[in-house]
Amino acid sequence: MEKKPHFVRREFLPREVPSISLALLLAAILLLNALLYLYLNKFYSSLGRVETDPGLCPFGHFKFGGLKNCSPWLSCEAINREVRKVKCVGEGAVKKVFLSEWKEKKVVLSQLTNSELKEDFLHGLKMLKALQSKYVVRLLGYCEQQFTILTEYHPLGSLRRLNETLHIPKYKGMNTWHRRLMLAIDYVSVIRYLHSSPLGTLVMCDSNDLDKVLSQYLLTSDFHILVNDLDALPLVNRSAGRLVKCGHRELRGEFVAPEQRWPYGEDVPFEDDLMPPYDEKTDIWKIPEVSNFFLGHVEGSDIVRLHLFDIHAACKKKDPAERPSAQEVLDTYRKVLTLLIREAAMPGAREML
């Protein structure tokens, strides 16, 4: 007799994820997005510096190094009586810089070295007083009669030493793509501030090569950027038809913007009177090279460069009018930072959905 086959009944799991599981997944992603939003707010506050700075004092006053109250800028008499030079730490064309002490706190004393450049020195002091903000080194006092300026001391020095600093064991944890991108954001924030300053549109003229640019800025101990040298900061006033020229000598090289170079060829000798003036878009031309320095060659930096490719290409437009504003560059940098941090926080979210 032929046996009939026995069929075993099996329960198969449904192929589709139950709606409750999908809802939980979506809820988890929303929660992660909320946490990311809070993190980015804190990130911009601590690293990118929000627009308000509660540490700033009223005009003519300062506070630093744990001081609770704001003090008036030190006068000639106070500087001569209370400030002690320790050693010379630098010298440029305009001034000599001394590490000094004031009330057991380290400070920086700058003094004019070339009397022929006293107008540049006084212009730098004028800018320093007028532009006090979270973007500019803190002014502690000055003496016009003695051509002396007192500012806050930052032990990490100028940005020229950035890569050396990031190789110090204490700071190796800072050597990441997002910290480096935050430095680039800080730099563009300074340029944006100068282009929309309380005095009007200012151009950073001490920027004919990368090393010169980096020497104009300080790196703070909490890894922010401050502009330190404001001796060459002319004003653009379009409504009055006033443009600028960065010095009276011929500028060469790919680092400076095309409109800063002699336009009449090698056969025509350079003459300052024939050199056309220009505007603040020269600063925009230089942003890609400076940012490339900041990004370095750490893991992830090439991905950042890829995301910044379009805005950097726009910065390199030959026609200055076609270049973006510093605000537009800054907005793009911040969007890229947010995007990349979100992708790092949720690497598989799309595939899960």
Side-chain angles (χ1 to χ4, degrees):
M1 184 175 177
E2 189 176 344
K3 293 183 179 180
K4 294 181 179 180
H6 294 279
F7 295 96
V8 180
R9 184 175 180 180
R10 295 177 182 176
E11 297 291 338
F12 291 96
L13 292 174
R15 293 183 180 179
E16 295 184 0
V17 179
S19 58
I20 187 169
S21 298
L22 184 60
L24 287 172
L25 177 61
L26 289 171
I29 292 175
L30 288 173
L31 177 61
L32 188 57
N33 268 300
L35 292 173
L36 181 62
Y37 174 79
L38 294 173
Y39 168 75
L40 286 171
N41 272 350
K42 184 178 179 181
F43 197 71
Y44 281 129
S45 298
S46 61
L47 296 178
R49 296 178 292 178
V50 291
E51 292 303 315
T52 57
D53 186 349
L56 288 178
C57 293
F59 181 80
H61 295 72
F62 70 90
K63 178 174 66 174
F64 82 109
L67 295 175
K68 292 183 179 180
N69 300 317
C70 294
S71 301
W73 287 334
L74 300 186
S75 63
C76 296
E77 181 184 356
I79 291 174
N80 292 332
R81 185 180 65 249
E82 301 173 11
V83 177
R84 181 179 71 88
K85 291 180 185 176
V86 177
K87 63 178 179 179
C88 179
V89 292
E91 183 174 2
V94 179
K95 52 187 176 285
K96 186 178 287 189
V97 180
F98 296 89
L99 173 63
S100 306
E101 285 185 352
W102 174 73
K103 294 187 175 180
E104 299 183 347
K105 297 183 185 298
K106 292 180 179 179
V107 294
V108 173
L109 189 71
S110 302
Q111 291 185 317
L112 178 69
T113 55
N114 186 346
S115 59
E116 294 180 0
L117 298 175
K118 63 182 181 181
E119 293 303 322
D120 292 339
F121 184 91
L122 293 175
H123 177 74
L125 174 58
K126 177 184 175 182
M127 295 293 105
L128 195 54
K129 290 193 291 184
L131 299 175
Q132 283 295 287
S133 65
K134 62 181 177 290
Y135 305 108
V136 179
V137 69
R138 188 169 283 124
L139 178 64
L140 309 181
Y142 64 92
C143 180
E144 285 194 36
Q145 297 93 316
Q146 298 173 8
F147 298 99
T148 299
I149 299 173
L150 193 70
T151 54
E152 188 175 3
Y153 172 67
H154 294 280
L156 295 183
S158 81
L159 287 177
R160 286 189 294 189
R161 297 174 51 194
L162 175 63
N163 288 323
E164 297 171 31
T165 299
L166 289 171
H167 282 93
I168 298 173
K170 179 181 177 180
Y171 298 109
K172 278 190 175 180
M174 299 285 194
N175 198 16
T176 61
W177 69 262
H178 54 89
R179 289 280 180 166
R180 284 177 167 271
L181 178 54
M182 283 307 306
L183 290 176
I185 288 174
D186 265 6
Y187 168 71
V188 178
S189 296
V190 173
I191 298 299
R192 188 277 310 266
Y193 174 68
L194 294 178
H195 288 185
S196 56
S197 82
L199 301 176
T201 301
L202 299 168
V203 181
M204 194 66 178
C205 266
D206 263 345
S207 56
N208 297 335
D209 56 62
L210 179 60
D211 191 66
K212 187 63 174 175
V213 170
L214 298 176
S215 70
Q216 308 301 304
Y217 297 86
L218 295 172
L219 180 64
T220 68
S221 296
D222 58 350
F223 269 68
H224 288 306
I225 290 175
L226 298 172
V227 62
N228 181 52
D229 196 331
L230 304 174
D231 295 345
L233 211 60
L235 177 69
V236 170
N237 188 338
R238 285 191 182 81
S239 60
R242 183 194 303 167
L243 299 178
V244 304
K245 287 191 286 188
C246 291
H248 304 288
R249 299 179 181 177
E250 182 178 0
L251 300 178
R252 296 175 179 269
E254 292 300 314
F255 188 83
V256 297
E259 63 272 22
Q260 292 184 282
R261 302 172 209 154
W262 179 243
Y264 303 118
E266 295 288 339
D267 295 334
V268 181
F270 177 83
E271 288 187 37
D272 184 44
D273 291 340
L274 298 179
M275 180 66 198
Y278 34 83
D279 62 18
E280 76 281 2
K281 290 298 184 73
T282 58
D283 289 333
I284 304 300
W285 171 273
K286 299 160 188 173
I287 286 175
E289 277 86 1
V290 181
S291 290
N292 187 54
F293 168 81
F294 286 133
L295 292 175
H297 300 284
V298 297
E299 182 180 356
S301 62
D302 286 341
I303 298 297
V304 179
R305 286 185 178 89
L306 184 63
H307 281 80
L308 296 178
F309 180 84
D310 288 342
I311 191 67
H312 283 173
C315 291
K316 290 296 188 180
K317 294 281 189 180
K318 188 172 182 180
D319 183 355
E322 294 181 4
R323 296 174 205 154
S325 66
Q327 183 66 61
E328 290 171 323
V329 178
L330 181 60
D331 291 342
T332 302
Y333 274 36
R334 286 175 170 168
K335 287 176 184 176
V336 168
L337 175 65
T338 302
L339 171 67
L340 292 177
I341 290 179
R342 182 180 291 123
E343 288 181 353
M346 300 186 300
R350 277 185 195 168
E351 289 79 1
M352 291 168 66
L353 288 171

